[in-house]
Amino acid sequence: MIDNFKIEKIIVEALKEDKDTYDITSEWLFSDDVLSSANLIAKEDGVLAGIDIFEYVFKLIDGSITLEKFVPDGDKILKGQLIATLKGSTKHLLYGERTALNILQRMSGIATMTAACVKEVSHTNVRIVDTRKTAPGLRILDKMAVRVGGGFNHRFNLSDGVLIKDNHIKACGSIAEAIKQTRLYAPHTLKIEIEVEHISDFIEAMNARADIVMLDNMSLEDMRECVRLNNGNCILEASGNMTLDRLRRVAETGVDVISIGSLTHSVKALDISLRFD
Amino acid sequence: MIDNFKIEKIIVEALKEDKDTYDITSEWLFSDDVLSSANLIAKEDGVLAGIDIFEYVFKLIDGSITLEKFVPDGDKILKGQLIATLKGSTKHLLYGERTALNILQRMSGIATMTAACVKEVSHTNVRIVDTRKTAPGLRILDKMAVRVGGGFNHRFNLSDGVLIKDNHIKACGSIAEAIKQTRLYAPHTLKIEIEVEHISDFIEAMNARADIVMLDNMSLEDMRECVRLNNGNCILEASGNMTLDRLRRVAETGVDVISIGSLTHSVKALDISLRFD
Amino acid sequence: MIDNFKIEKIIVEALKEDKDTYDITSEWLFSDDVLSSANLIAKEDGVLAGIDIFEYVFKLIDGSITLEKFVPDGDKILKGQLIATLKGSTKHLLYGERTALNILQRMSGIATMTAACVKEVSHTNVRIVDTRKTAPGLRILDKMAVRVGGGFNHRFNLSDGVLIKDNHIKACGSIAEAIKQTRLYAPHTLKIEIEVEHISDFIEAMNARADIVMLDNMSLEDMRECVRLNNGNCILEASGNMTLDRLRRVAETGVDVISIGSLTHSVKALDISLRFD
Amino acid sequence: MIDNFKIEKIIVEALKEDKDTYDITSEWLFSDDVLSSANLIAKEDGVLAGIDIFEYVFKLIDGSITLEKFVPDGDKILKGQLIATLKGSTKHLLYGERTALNILQRMSGIATMTAACVKEVSHTNVRIVDTRKTAPGLRILDKMAVRVGGGFNHRFNLSDGVLIKDNHIKACGSIAEAIKQTRLYAPHTLKIEIEVEHISDFIEAMNARADIVMLDNMSLEDMRECVRLNNGNCILEASGNMTLDRLRRVAETGVDVISIGSLTHSVKALDISLRFD
Amino acid sequence: MIDNFKIEKIIVEALKEDKDTYDITSEWLFSDDVLSSANLIAKEDGVLAGIDIFEYVFKLIDGSITLEKFVPDGDKILKGQLIATLKGSTKHLLYGERTALNILQRMSGIATMTAACVKEVSHTNVRIVDTRKTAPGLRILDKMAVRVGGGFNHRFNLSDGVLIKDNHIKACGSIAEAIKQTRLYAPHTLKIEIEVEHISDFIEAMNARADIVMLDNMSLEDMRECVRLNNGNCILEASGNMTLDRLRRVAETGVDVISIGSLTHSVKALDISLRFD
Amino acid sequence: MIDNFKIEKIIVEALKEDKDTYDITSEWLFSDDVLSSANLIAKEDGVLAGIDIFEYVFKLIDGSITLEKFVPDGDKILKGQLIATLKGSTKHLLYGERTALNILQRMSGIATMTAACVKEVSHTNVRIVDTRKTAPGLRILDKMAVRVGGGFNHRFNLSDGVLIKDNHIKACGSIAEAIKQTRLYAPHTLKIEIEVEHISDFIEAMNARADIVMLDNMSLEDMRECVRLNNGNCILEASGNMTLDRLRRVAETGVDVISIGSLTHSVKALDISLRFD
């Protein structure tokens, strides 16, 4: 169920982008009453994400198009598997095809990679989370796909999370001062997060009672030391250069959260195709 | 120079997406008159694309921010290279940072991969072209990045190019009939393109005087045979599963154009970072 | 069937333009449940265009309004002829009336004039095409009306067609150079068109293998000479001062296409009225 | 001076309509720093309208474009007359050219026809006014052009004027009742106008103290009789089939206002062209 | 029945404002098929306004939500009274709840205060009218609420009413001159209103045949004198510091209209709550 | 400094709302080059909020208007005090006047009431916070005004804060279960807040380790008991019927936060006027 005006706007803009005037190929080949059915089929293994949005693309074009869904979001799909069947006006199916697939393939690509990361750390309590490194304008979908893949969302934007970085700290003189000043004004519903690169900075942040400390580009040993020193005080978030093979070892340091930019900034589309009967 | 209202809208929407109300971290740490300078630095080798749009992100936030540009779009950048220097209000630089980088890294990622493909076929006359498999809402930027990387654009959307596919053909009964009917009505400024999978279909399309024939998922041998039969009549476009290592051999079959969906549907962001002094 | 978000936006903007707050006349005279039926009647002879959009205006206001259509787009209508019958809420019919008629009358006016031009050249193979001289914001409807009238569309905008004009040529030094340079970069799916005013220029353009040559403001004799020299090489498009009575003679010179700005820049609305029972 | 966000939106939408991605002809022929100057020249006699909006089109594209204006809105222009000179980036001048001319030619066409009508009745005190029969989305410009031509505006839309028509009257039972009921609720800042077709109805309207009575499609004799009976009580507005040659005689009946739909629904563009040096 | 695209836009923007991505509380607690019913109950006495818009908020989120309405707009409601019952998806009811209540409470607050003012002057023929002092972007709803409360609307904006103020008068040299010049150009459908502060100015305005004279911040005695002098010539509108207790005496001076800014600029929300069963 | 596209949009929409076509009063009375200066003067005591936005309204209309500011946001203003001086085109000052004042008066009204509440509890550590009971579409300004007045913001919308209410609890079976389930999925950057009405429920929430507990409509004694039991574990937020005179006693119970809906749902505009010289 799509009850989200921001997603609706994304879809409408994408559909306008793909048809400036009319579909000059189909216009003269199909009359309005020609109907088709088409099968949505996985061309490789992965995790499905965005099937409701895929459906909504067609609903926005033509309310009489129907989609029978055989796989829900979050399920694994195997190469060759039938995901859904679409029926309706041929012209309208062809109009929505590319936009709907572009969304579905991107979201499923994100979910698939997220699920792989989640699996890698599943023997721990670590959360895999995303970042703000998303495709411009598509953050809401990119972050939805991360959730579908079993990951969690970091802050959505600059307004709904506090994250004190290097240059914020410089401006205030010290980590302790930056945390103190931020807490003075930030909404009481939010936790204060601060980014550190060294163990000594971590200690200062912990002592200043940061809620979350991001350990940025730290070595495994340093992370382990921070975990030991932390002793459950702050939430510890590891960040920076999180390749799939390093993930397990990072998770095993005992951090609570691992944030991974590549989940959304370097997406490999999952191959899914729409086959007309 | 950005003289494009559609690009401006993309940027504004992305900036709105990244700040719902105010930047709750910087608001209380920086007064409006704190200034910073920051260096834009390549973290890996690649081709730069989108630097004017990167600049425009900041100009839209605050006209007094200045960017000194050391590398133009299309140039190679090396790991560690200084690309540009930004100066202006700290708050405003921090506001634009993520959005500007998200655009620049995606576009440079596309240009870098396109340039690699172009290089692979540079001993031939083949054009590398993109597809409509772009990030929803970002097609104008994705396709600009392909051009920056030395590639060419296929049709932008359903309205500015004729491409007859399988199901169009089924609807008409035959390749020849589909071409004939389309030509009857399509604007005289556009070429008629048709997709075929077999040599026999190619022959029918050529005889029906298609302007462009897309050879979809054909073997190298079949492509070579089409090139021989074609004898310069139609523009031949190879398509389907174009991996970087197969590209050279496809180009050497003698086709004119190779279209590659992954240029834009599976983008690896180029690592570029903004370092505040 | 309207499946076009750009047309929907045009209609919504027009409806907002025509009702800033509420209809201060009807508000106090009609309760919401007063129903009316109304007949759409031709007040002069012509060609109907835009009846689906006329219907869509009312559907966007109130999905329960029904329209029974007796004439499809493209048909001739005679003075006094009943085109359609509308039934629904009196208030809502009155709300949509002016906007719907403004669209229908303009589109039918365009189609009527286009059909007259097409008829004038019907003994030849000449295509009548439009230009970009359309009402700002209404190009999609203006060009649709031209098609309904039996004409064809020239390029929709600066992005989906190449047209090299005088000042482009000056910038490059020569016709041949301008064509060569454009072909180097323009999408392979588009034809290259160039505008010439003299026979010698036409020859240069043909030799440089332009796809389309626009013969701008040429005399009938010069056009005939170009046709002779061309010998089927390029598509020839006559343009400039195409009055209805000169059209036949231009067509008989053997050109392929005649473009007419006045089809859309100087529209005479076709008189059609909505009569409430 | 344009200080109007609705006009700005019209221009931006028109500019977006005319360039979907980039100008594929100019992009490869001109670098950004190529400059041109161009002369705006009347190709036929008329009244200039919209020159500030013409200028604003270019300002919105590129603030560095300059326009030297030799004729203000409302002035007569003669065939061959230089109206203004534009200087700036060649690419940007070419981008704005068509949109700016489409607006200027339409507005000047409206002003020219309006001025002709005004001149026809200039020996009387009659006002020439427009209607809501405008191009969808362009009402604000169409009505501005009428004012420039010396005409006046009728109500802008359904919300800022009361106009009781036939079917309103039917709903209420009588003219007197409709006026009474409307006056009960309509804003006290607005006058009540009612449309009548017969002298007897006019008398009823006058007695019910309508502020304005529209004499719709009446004969000259009937209008004269209404003027005599009215004796200065109501404002009398003549309407329906107002051809240029009938206008003088209508005005001489003594009515106060003549409304003319064709001023805006059947516009003949005034021929004005932009010549690059 | 909501047939107004401007109101629809207000609602959509408000709903987007209240949900940036997803409802992070309900998302994980309710599946999509959990249903609820909820009662809309008055928590204090007042006049109901905006119930159709309240309903429309939910309809825009989810067409399957139903509202059974027990009280129409304009009716008095008593503390504890059941106004309506909502049924539908729990998630969607929770999504719309705050936005719908914010609108309903504001509108009912305006209507309640308006009704109190109207009652205070009900023994006279005075109209209570609003001003342009409304919440930015919400004028259409604020003014609708005034009408629901039994008040009337003054002009909606700068375009649909003439109101000559102090500084306009200074610019022209005199009241008489300002009225004369405005009448020369203003649409014939509008009345000319002028603001005066002294009896002598009133006399000048009346003699210059203003249609409406606003008596701004005058004493009761001065107003009475103006009424006497006016003798029914102009519509007299009292304005400035209209507290509830002074209203009756102002009305009894014999003015026709009293305009009250606080009706919309200082709204006390009417307490209404939505109780889930 | 306004660097916020959402606020810009609010202003533009408000300006469009207040001028549908042109300002029919000023248009004919002032030429474009008539200049004025005007003083912004407090008509009653209060706290100023929104002066930068007030300025931005005029800047958006006409960049050449200047504002000299004598009081910054957050300062007390006294009846008769000069706040700022505006200079520029008379027409443009008059265009922006009403919109700018409507914003400034509302924001200053909110800040003034907030400051009064803050002062009432200034002997404690209590934070005064707002709610989501804001004017639809104006939440960003309403909440900014609360901050200017010395208050703090509660969550901005449903997406950036977790607040478990009665009906959420019912759906889960218990307070403990609702907290547990929410924590499982909610972003790690957010605190979990839950609403309780009874001491026993508070105990359950505290034991389930809620981060924030909202004590809704509790008696002073019950709040005191919760504070005692809480012993610094959770943040305690008092809510419900917070009248100015009860505030002090609530604050003295020892709660951490008091949320007050009336700050934004029942705003009394602060009287500020713009006097033209």
Side-chain angles (χ1 to χ4, degrees), chain A residues 19-270:
Chain A
K19 191 169 82 171
D20 202 39
T21 51
Y22 65 104
D23 177 343
I24 52 177
T25 310
S26 297
E27 181 70 12
W28 312 108
L29 294 177
F30 304 111
S31 64
D32 284 341
D33 53 0
V34 176
L35 301 179
S36 291
S37 72
N39 291 318
L40 186 69
I41 296 169
K43 305 286 287 292
E44 59 177 324
D45 295 1
V47 172
L48 185 72
I51 189 66
D52 292 337
I53 295 170
F54 178 90
E55 179 179 13
Y56 199 49
V57 171
F58 293 100
K59 287 291 184 196
L60 282 173
I61 294 172
D62 174 353
S64 71
I65 291 176
T66 61
L67 177 136
E68 194 181 1
K69 186 168 59 175
F70 305 116
V71 186
D73 262 16
D75 267 25
K76 285 204 170 165
I77 45 178
L78 299 172
K79 185 173 176 177
Q81 187 174 346
L82 179 66
I83 300 166
T85 303
L86 275 168
K87 287 195 205 315
S89 148
T90 303
K91 261 190 190 173
H92 292 165
L93 291 179
L94 286 168
Y95 177 21
E97 178 187 16
R98 189 72 265 139
T99 296
L101 282 174
N102 284 347
I103 293 174
L104 188 70
Q105 290 182 262
R106 178 177 177 86
M107 290 185 68
S108 297
I110 293 172
T112 299
M113 175 54 72
T114 304
C117 294
V118 168
K119 190 177 170 198
E120 203 63 21
V121 304
S122 61
H123 59 304
T124 70
N125 287 321
V126 163
R127 275 188 177 196
I128 297 297
V129 308
D130 52 29
T131 66
R132 284 162 53 236
K133 297 177 180 175
T134 53
L138 299 178
R139 187 168 291 166
I140 196 170
L141 298 182
D142 283 4
K143 286 188 170 254
M144 183 187 290
V146 167
R147 295 197 304 273
V148 170
F152 293 83
N153 296 148
H154 206 294
R155 64 174 175 172
F156 190 76
N157 59 35
L158 294 167
S159 300
D160 64 355
V162 177
L163 179 42
I164 304 170
K165 301 197 167 189
D166 259 24
N167 43 353
H168 295 101
I169 296 167
K170 282 184 219 156
C172 278
S174 77
I175 286 173
E177 187 58 29
I179 293 173
K180 187 178 148 201
Q181 198 164 332
T182 308
R183 194 180 304 283
L184 210 58
Y185 294 105
H188 67 289
T189 55
L190 299 178
K191 295 179 187 159
I192 309 285
E193 176 165 9
I194 190 160
E195 183 183 304
V196 302
E197 295 188 31
H198 306 292
I199 293 178
S200 57
D201 291 342
F202 164 70
I203 294 170
E204 185 178 352
M206 181 182 64
N207 289 339
R209 283 194 271 177
D211 296 300
I212 312 170
V213 184
M214 179 191 287
L215 310 176
D216 193 39
N217 280 311
M218 273 195 189
S219 67
L220 293 171
E221 305 82 72
D222 283 4
M223 286 193 233
R224 272 190 289 266
E225 178 63 4
C226 289
V227 169
R228 193 188 63 81
L229 291 164
N230 185 56
N231 194 23
N233 269 312
C234 310
I235 296 173
L236 297 187
E237 175 181 334
S239 176
N241 291 319
M242 291 297 161
T243 54
L244 196 52
D245 52 304
R246 189 173 169 250
L247 221 49
R248 171 181 291 263
R249 281 169 294 150
V250 173
E252 290 172 351
T253 62
V255 296
D256 304 292
V257 173
I258 300 175
S259 56
I260 309 177
S262 62
L263 289 182
T264 53
H265 74 51
S266 294
V267 177
K268 189 182 161 305
L270 190 73

Side-chain angles (χ1 to χ4, degrees), chain C residues 184-201:
Chain C
L184 210 57
Y185 294 105
H188 67 287
T189 55
L190 300 178
K191 295 178 188 160
I192 309 285
E193 177 165 10
I194 191 160
E195 184 183 304
V196 303
E197 296 188 31
H198 307 290
I199 293 178
S200 57
D201 290 343

Side-chain angles (χ1 to χ4, degrees), chain B residues 130-145:
Chain B
D130 53 26
T131 65
R132 285 163 52 234
K133 297 176 180 177
T134 53
L138 298 177
R139 188 169 291 166
I140 196 170
L141 298 182
D142 283 4
K143 287 188 169 255
M144 183 187 290

Side-chain angles (χ1 to χ4, degrees), chain E residues 174-224:
Chain E
S174 77
I175 286 173
E177 187 58 29
I179 293 173
K180 187 179 148 200
Q181 197 164 333
T182 308
R183 193 180 304 282
L184 211 57
Y185 294 105
H188 67 288
T189 55
L190 301 177
K191 294 177 188 162
I192 310 284
E193 177 164 9
I194 191 161
E195 184 183 302
V196 302
E197 295 189 30
H198 306 291
I199 293 178
S200 57
D201 290 343
F202 164 70
I203 294 170
E204 185 178 351
M206 181 181 67
N207 289 340
R209 283 194 271 177
D211 296 300
I212 312 170
V213 183
M214 180 191 287
L215 311 175
D216 192 40
N217 281 311
M218 273 196 190
S219 67
L220 293 172
E221 305 81 74
D222 283 4
M223 285 194 234
R224 271 189 289 267

Side-chain angles (χ1 to χ4, degrees), chain F residues 80 92 125 168 217 251 254 261:
Chain F
H92 292 166
N125 287 320
H168 295 103
N217 281 311

